[in-house]
Amino acid sequence: MPIYEYKCEDCGHHFDALRTMRAADDAIACKACGSERTQRTLSVFFAHSEGRSVVHAGNSGCGNCRGRNCAGCNH
């Protein structure tokens, strides 16, 4: 079950809730003031790779080499 982020329109409080995808946009009470004037917000994340490839699909290699793993090309 995914975690969604919400913002209260009355008090401005931001909070998370574990909900089904079906209930993601249903009314939910603010954890700070109890108001149901809340809105789901976009989740933001940051990933830092230091210039290296961060995508790896199982045993198919990293795309920079032809091997079954990245040990041969040090990626």
Side-chain angles (χ1 to χ4, degrees):
M1 196 175 331
I3 296 174
Y4 293 98
E5 296 177 30
Y6 297 88
K7 179 184 177 187
C8 179
E9 297 294 319
D10 288 337
C11 73
H13 180 70
H14 289 263
F15 62 96
D16 301 332
L18 186 66
R19 305 180 85 185
T20 64
M21 290 172 55
R22 182 174 293 181
D25 291 320
D26 292 349
I28 185 170
C30 173
K31 294 182 180 183
C33 73
S35 170
E36 288 196 3
R37 287 183 12 100
T38 55
Q39 206 171 50
R40 189 162 57 110
T41 62
L42 292 176
S43 299
V44 180
F45 69 93
F46 175 79
H48 182 70
S49 70
E50 297 179 6
R52 292 178 283 157
S53 174
V54 293
V55 177
H56 183 72
N59 291 331
S60 62
C62 68
N64 292 327
C65 63
R66 298 188 190 280
R68 302 279 304 160
N69 62 46
C70 294
C73 68
N74 295 322
H75 282 107

